[in-house]
Amino acid sequence: MQTITQEKSFSINQAPVADDLKPITTDQRHVGIFAYMSMWLGDGFNIGNITLGSSLVVAGTATMSLLQTLVAAGIAIFIISVIFTFNDRFGYVTGSPYVIQLRLSFGKVGAKFASLLRGIPAIVWYGFQSWTGALALNQILKIFTNANFNNTAICFIILQIIQTLIALKGFKTIKVVTSIISVIVMLALSSIFILLVAQHSSVIQSKLIAVKGSWGLTFFSFIVAFLGNYTAIFESAADYSRELRPNLSNKYRGLLYFVPICFAYGITIITGAMLAAVTGISSPVNAMAQIFNNNIITMLISVFIILGVITTNSVANIMPPTYILTSLFKLPQNLAIMLVSTLAACSFPWLLVQNSSSAGLAIFIRSYSVFLGPMTAIILTEYYIERRQIVHLDSLYNDDKLEKVRWNAPIALAIGAVFALVQVDLSWIIGFFVGGIAYLILNHIHKEKYVL
């Protein structure tokens, strides 16, 4: 049972942080069960996950069989759901965001720098998703104008403006938008999945199902890749759970993650692998355009891609870095949202969406997992083992009672990252266990003082 105490000598309202970073009270939480599940359903149906699935196919043949892919995805989804459930509890009970949670283990200043390890991947993903959506929007406009229009950059700017306006309207608008879009995208991607199976079953059988594959390093590396695709999101689980309506048990919240992610993530990964196996093209947008050589179907698929991009970015890639910039520079939230959109445009997303980039995307995921693996272990260890879920919330917001940096956490993070670099294909798993154990040992050797 978690305990929260508040001291009378200091009011959180006096805290020198932006209002958006202060706790959300239970009566201010309006995201219900359906809307919350829709968020994760919509986030799972995204072009990045399809691209990750396509990376399973090299030179037209899958590196893992369909069975191995399903098992790897299943293991990853189970771990994702468990960590989500454990890590969302801080935000669900306190109403505080991830950047405040980091203060527990990293200190006041240390938390700001540590949060960049979550913010930077989100911004890169934001750019990647938006450019992919821009390719789809450009495809639609080319069809409408008989190829007289062909400018992905302009489409990218249009899409950035739309997503920024949605984010500026706040979490309530994001909730409504994602709830509606997730159902549409689910139906669209399920249709693509069925069409692929119905029309190309023999190719899928020979290039995806009948292959020998591997239960060795390749298998475990894809577990890490599948896991790493969500590690930045469950790392900041508090940012989402603080908006969820109260009085839901841990098991119930676990199902709110497991069911939609299992369904959506599973279908998108398999669809990506099938598209690449059938066409030999690793870019899902180009693969879909080739396999469904029909303007109407191409337009419908392009609309699905755009809607998926908007949903994914709204849930996973806009608000977390917005909170981080708000914490780092004490910016107004609206200004931080616009800055995040600008930074996403500067992340060279056009390079990541090239046909040759699906493998590079998997490498990118494993690379930031080097740091986020130990980071996740550290914040869970601090919250559940070191503090036993006891949080003095007033002190957490009181700069006078916070150490600038609590050094055990960054040292353990560095140790975990170094060991993870030894085998990047297994980066998250190695970093998680080494970082967590290192943090426990450091706390035993040198117990840092804290008043929280």
Side-chain angles (χ1 to χ4, degrees):
M1 179 66 67
Q2 174 167 327
T3 304
I4 300 175
T5 63
Q6 294 189 347
E7 302 172 1
K8 296 181 180 179
S9 59
F10 175 81
S11 171
I12 292 177
N13 291 328
Q14 301 170 330
V17 298
D19 289 340
D20 300 302
L21 302 181
K22 293 175 182 177
I24 297 176
T25 58
T26 54
D27 61 320
Q28 295 174 316
R29 304 182 191 184
H30 305 294
V31 178
I33 294 171
F34 173 76
Y36 202 68
M37 292 183 72
S38 296
M39 282 172 47
W40 303 118
L41 193 66
D43 179 67
F45 289 125
N46 74 75
I47 202 69
N49 290 345
I50 299 177
T51 303
L52 183 61
S54 70
S55 68
L56 287 161
V57 179
V58 177
T61 302
T63 54
M64 292 204 305
S65 69
L66 181 61
L67 174 62
Q68 292 161 347
T69 302
L70 289 172
V71 173
I75 293 172
I77 291 168
F78 175 77
I79 296 173
I80 288 166
S81 302
V82 170
I83 294 181
F84 245 132
T85 306
F86 277 103
N87 201 31
D88 85 336
R89 187 161 175 77
F90 172 85
Y92 188 65
V93 176
T94 67
S96 297
Y98 169 67
V99 290
I100 299 299
Q101 180 185 11
L102 285 175
R103 291 184 169 198
L104 290 171
S105 46
F106 286 87
K108 178 181 65 176
V109 177
K112 293 181 177 182
F113 288 98
S115 65
L116 291 173
L117 297 175
R118 164 63 176 106
I120 292 173
I123 289 172
V124 175
W125 270 114
Y126 184 10
F128 168 82
Q129 294 279 354
S130 295
W131 192 267
T132 304
L135 288 171
L137 179 58
N138 187 64
Q139 191 72 25
I140 293 173
L141 294 177
K142 280 175 64 177
I143 294 172
F144 267 116
T145 62
N146 292 321
N148 290 321
F149 178 91
N150 186 15
N151 195 317
T152 306
I154 291 177
C155 294
F156 178 78
I157 293 171
I158 293 171
L159 203 54
Q160 288 297 88
I161 292 172
I162 291 172
Q163 293 175 110
T164 300
L165 291 174
I166 292 173
L168 289 173
K169 290 292 184 179
F171 210 93
K172 289 183 181 179
T173 302
I174 292 175
K175 175 190 72 174
V176 174
V177 170
T178 54
S179 296
I180 296 172
I181 291 179
S182 64
V183 175
I184 298 173
V185 173
M186 176 183 67
L187 295 173
L189 190 57
S190 298
S191 299
I192 295 172
F193 180 88
I194 293 170
L195 283 171
L196 283 169
V197 172
Q199 298 180 2
H200 303 277
S201 58
S202 60
V203 178
I204 293 170
Q205 170 68 29
S206 62
K207 293 188 176 182
L208 188 60
I209 297 176
V211 298
K212 182 179 179 181
S214 169
W215 293 99
L217 180 60
T218 300
F219 173 77
F220 288 100
S221 70
F222 270 105
I223 291 178
V224 173
F226 296 154
L227 184 63
N229 210 10
Y230 271 88
T231 185
I233 305 174
F234 63 56
E235 174 76 20
S236 58
D239 289 342
Y240 312 107
S241 61
R242 69 195 293 248
E243 304 279 353
L244 179 63
R245 73 172 180 82
N247 302 320
L248 297 177
S249 67
N250 291 341
K251 292 180 180 179
Y252 199 102
R253 293 199 319 281
L255 288 175
L256 297 187
Y257 299 116
F258 180 77
V259 173
I261 292 175
C262 184
F263 180 66
Y265 201 18
I267 286 183
T268 52
I269 288 173
I270 300 304
T271 300
M274 290 195 299
L275 278 170
V278 171
T279 64
I281 299 173
S282 58
S283 170
V285 177
N286 296 334
M288 289 181 190
Q290 175 177 307
I291 203 167
F292 304 114
N293 191 19
N294 178 288
N295 282 345
I296 294 177
I297 295 178
T298 299
M299 286 179 62
L300 289 174
I301 292 172
S302 296
V303 169
F304 139 68
I305 292 172
I306 294 168
L307 293 177
V309 163
I310 292 173
T311 303
T312 301
N313 282 338
S314 296
V315 172
N317 300 326
I318 298 179
M319 295 314 297
T322 294
Y323 288 137
I324 290 167
L325 289 179
T326 300
S327 174
L328 279 173
F329 305 110
K330 297 183 179 179
L331 298 175
Q333 180 169 299
N334 288 350
L335 179 59
I337 288 172
M338 290 186 283
L339 182 56
V340 167
S341 295
T342 303
L343 291 172
C346 298
S347 65
F348 304 103
W350 50 88
L351 298 179
L352 282 174
V353 299
Q354 295 177 4
N355 285 341
S356 60
S357 295
S358 62
L361 185 63
I363 293 172
F364 168 66
I365 292 170
R366 294 184 186 111
S367 297
Y368 67 69
S369 295
V370 165
F371 301 100
L372 292 185
M375 176 95 87
T376 302
I378 288 168
I379 61 177
L380 289 174
T381 300
E382 180 68 32
Y383 185 58
Y384 284 97
I385 298 177
E386 298 294 334
R387 299 177 188 266
R388 302 182 187 278
Q389 303 182 65
I390 299 174
V391 178
H392 297 261
L393 201 54
D394 284 342
S395 296
L396 192 57
Y397 280 87
N398 189 343
D399 284 359
D400 294 334
K401 292 190 175 183
L402 283 171
E403 294 182 47
K404 287 186 177 180
V405 180
R406 302 188 70 236
W407 288 104
N408 284 356
I411 292 172
L413 175 61
I415 293 173
V418 168
F419 274 83
L421 284 170
V422 173
Q423 180 52 265
V424 177
D425 286 342
L426 304 177
S427 57
W428 191 92
I429 294 175
I430 295 172
F432 180 84
F433 285 104
V434 173
I437 293 170
Y439 191 57
L440 283 172
I441 293 173
L442 286 169
N443 283 338
H444 179 74
I445 296 172
H446 175 242
K447 188 70 174 179
E448 294 178 299
K449 295 181 180 179
Y450 57 82
V451 295
L452 303 180

